[in-house]
């Protein structure tokens, strides 16, 4: 992960409005990932790689953010937010 063109080729393009979010998430020292409306990972930052031991190349383009947190497939908070379309409705899903 050197930040060169080869690394960025794996990333799924954002529209211009979302490009700032991409930069902030990638550069963030807090483990972060971003999914799109199809629940595909579009950003998996270096801090996320470090804490999860899952590389950006493995994760971008998949719908598998759960692999960083759970042994079996299940929704993560980001999936619930995307599915609800309203972050305030997320609390209804919290166990």
């Amino acid at each position: 992960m050197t930040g060169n063109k080869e690394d960025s080729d794996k990333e799924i393009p954002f529209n211009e409005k979302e490009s700032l979010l991409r930069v902030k998430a990638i550069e963030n020292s807090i483990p972060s990932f971003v999914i799109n409306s199809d629940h595909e990972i579009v950003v998996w930052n270096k801090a996320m790689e470090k804490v999860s031991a899952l590389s950006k190349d493995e994760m971008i383009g998949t719908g598998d953010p759960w692999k960083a947190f759970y042994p079996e497939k299940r929704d993560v908070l980001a999936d619930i937010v995307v599915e609800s379309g309203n972050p305030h409705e997320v609390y209804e899903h919290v166990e």
Side-chain angles (χ1 to χ4, degrees), residues 20-52:
L20 181 58
L21 171 64
R22 173 188 286 218
V23 169
K24 293 295 184 186
I26 290 170
E27 293 177 353
N28 196 340
S29 62
I30 297 170
S32 306
F33 68 93
V34 177
I35 63 172
N36 64 17
S37 60
D38 294 323
H39 300 265
E40 296 171 337
I41 298 168
V42 294
V43 172
W44 192 264
N45 74 2
K46 290 182 188 289
M48 196 69 195
E49 287 181 309
K50 188 173 182 177
V51 300
S52 70

Side-chain angles (χ1 to χ4, degrees), residues 1-77:
M1 308 308 125
T2 60
N4 62 27
K5 182 173 178 353
E6 292 167 8
D7 288 340
S8 63
D9 285 347
K10 180 76 173 151
E11 296 175 3
I12 297 170
F14 276 63
N15 65 39
E16 288 180 35
K17 187 176 180 182
E18 296 167 321
S19 64
L20 181 58
L21 171 64
R22 173 188 286 218
V23 169
K24 293 295 184 186
I26 290 170
E27 293 177 353
N28 196 340
S29 62
I30 297 170
S32 306
F33 68 93
V34 177
I35 63 172
N36 64 17
S37 60
D38 294 323
H39 300 265
E40 296 171 337
I41 298 168
V42 294
V43 172
W44 192 264
N45 74 2
K46 290 182 188 289
M48 196 69 195
E49 287 181 309
K50 188 173 182 177
V51 300
S52 70
L54 298 165
S55 75
K56 174 176 82 170
D57 292 337
E58 290 176 80
M59 300 306 291
I60 289 180
T62 73
D64 300 333
W66 62 269
K67 288 181 177 181
F69 308 102
Y70 307 110
E72 296 178 358
K73 184 174 174 62
R74 65 179 281 187
D75 285 346
V76 297
L77 183 58

